Amino acid sequence: MITTVTFGLPAFLLAAAAFWMRPRSGGAPRPSNAASTAVLLVAWAVAITGFNPAVQDAADLVTRDLAKLISNVLMLGASLAVVGFLFALNHDPEPARAKLRPRLRLLALTVAVMSTAFFATPADRRWSSPFTNTHWGQAPATLTIYTIAYVAFMGHATYDALTQTWRRSTETDWRVHKIGLKAVTGGCFFVLLYLLYKVVNSAASLAHVELFPGGPRCTSLVTPYRCAFSFTAPLTGVLLITAGLTVPAMLWPLAKRRLTAWQRQTAEIMAPLWQDITSVDPDLVLNTLGGNAEPDLVLHRRTVEIADGILSLEPHRSRAVQQAAEEAVAAAGLTGTEADAVVEAAVVAGAIQAARWSARAQRDPAPLADQGSAREADLEKEAVWLRLVAEQYTGSEIVHRIAAAHQPPALDAA
């Protein structure tokens, strides 16, 4: 099982990294965070491979417990890759690099201390040696120095990840992103659990107590039971952190396509209302958009022009039409936003007819719908509201009936 996990998961992560770095069709640029995402995925893939039994056995053939040093160093590199990814996400490129440089120097120092402590420890006194396993309280002090250096750097990196994750979670409105950030927080918890195990185990050795007995190799995710802390906890942290940082980013293209489709559909639904409003006031159209205009630009312009058109029609908004629409809506049992949209669509339809007939302005125009207050605060909310109005303008039987029943008289020539 461990072999499958430690080979299968890295293969998946490397494939995901290749996906991010693949050439885009038409020479399109890669996303701004593609490189940092790929580095993150590759770093974790290599780190997990370091836990593979075959890799560990090969390393230990060189010298006892070399596999532990290699896997620990790879975990430190992977943790720094997480921090670097978050810097790239939260800062512009140059400030992100400036923040990362001292942490790279700290990583180099930590690896140097760990390597020195490791090779300064006689092979027959390292973690898996018979002597240390039977005389745990007499483990060399160099192993404690090794552990302190490892825990200090990993703890600092985890703190970095937690603080940046928290900052990002307070700024994003995307639900999937929030879920991903919570997954990162959960992953940091498992990493902290792993670090706590390391600290407690080292403290116990100084007190001549062996709290986590077991052989040099884990036979499963939880046997011997120390493996739940030494192997499964960091692996779970890896999975949660990697998934939390990369899955939302991988879902972003799908979300973008969905948003683009909604923008295109909304602009099409608004088209009949936009055409009728701009036909009575052509000056509303700022300038002509080409056929290849982006859907968000088309929707933005259409929303603004319809909103401005409704304002320009205010003198023709009839209270009689509004009252008739409200009565019809109540008789039909409509409530809430749908009812408001029907009433507003009927009033706008009546105002368009009055403008076409060049009818006299209303002495007491009907007020704008309450939803119109969102115009200045949130253009997207205004687009959603005007889409509802446009749907009722073209599809509501109530709107058509009231518009036909309230034909305005033309102004006298005098």
Side-chain angles (χ1 to χ4, degrees), residues 279-281 312-313 315-317 349-362 406-414:
S279 68
V280 298
D281 190 354
S312 70
L313 290 170
H316 297 294
R317 294 173 64 89
I352 290 173
Q353 288 185 146
R356 284 176 177 165
W357 282 70
S358 297
R360 292 187 178 91
Q362 298 287 316
H406 291 77
Q407 296 288 333
L411 284 170
D412 296 332

Side-chain angles (χ1 to χ4, degrees), residues 3-16 41-42 44-50 52:
T3 300
T4 301
V5 171
T6 54
F7 268 157
L9 185 57
F12 173 78
L13 295 176
L14 290 174
L41 293 170
V42 171
W44 279 122
V46 174
I48 295 170
T49 303
N52 185 272

Side-chain angles (χ1 to χ4, degrees), residues 171-259:
E171 297 175 350
T172 182
D173 294 324
W174 190 26
R175 185 176 62 179
V176 175
H177 200 177
K178 284 184 178 292
I179 293 173
L181 293 172
K182 289 180 180 179
V184 174
T185 302
C188 290
F189 167 79
F190 280 100
V191 172
L192 291 175
L193 180 64
Y194 167 62
L195 295 178
L196 180 62
Y197 153 78
K198 301 284 286 185
V199 171
V200 170
N201 199 33
S202 295
S205 71
L206 295 176
H208 306 287
V209 177
E210 186 177 9
L211 294 178
F212 303 95
R217 290 285 184 271
C218 294
T219 55
S220 77
L221 296 178
V222 293
T223 53
Y225 75 88
R226 67 172 175 79
C227 294
F229 302 99
S230 65
F231 177 79
T232 304
L235 180 63
T236 303
V238 167
L239 292 174
L240 288 174
I241 292 172
T242 304
L245 292 178
T246 59
V247 170
M250 295 174 73
L251 290 176
W252 171 247
L254 299 178
K256 181 65 175 176
R257 291 192 192 98
R258 182 179 178 183
L259 176 62

Side-chain angles (χ1 to χ4, degrees), residues 288-318:
T288 302
L289 291 174
N292 295 325
E294 293 294 326
D296 60 338
L297 176 60
V298 174
L299 178 60
H300 180 105
R301 286 281 302 279
R302 194 153 289 178
T303 299
V304 171
E305 290 166 359
I306 291 176
D308 289 346
I310 291 176
L311 286 174
S312 70
L313 290 170
E314 186 174 7
H316 297 294
R317 294 173 64 89
S318 169

Side-chain angles (χ1 to χ4, degrees), residues 69 73 76 105-119 146 149:
L69 173 63
V73 169
L76 293 182
R105 290 193 289 269
L106 181 60
L107 174 62
L109 176 61
T110 302
V111 171
V113 170
M114 290 170 56
S115 300
T116 301
F118 176 84
F119 288 107
Y146 177 102

Side-chain angles (χ1 to χ4, degrees), residues 104-143:
L104 286 170
R105 290 193 289 269
L106 181 60
L107 174 62
L109 176 61
T110 302
V111 171
V113 170
M114 290 170 56
S115 300
T116 301
F118 176 84
F119 288 107
T121 305
D124 60 356
R125 293 293 187 272
R126 293 174 190 159
W127 299 278
S128 65
S129 65
F131 175 85
T132 301
N133 274 303
T134 56
H135 303 82
W136 187 248
Q138 301 178 34
T142 49
L143 296 185

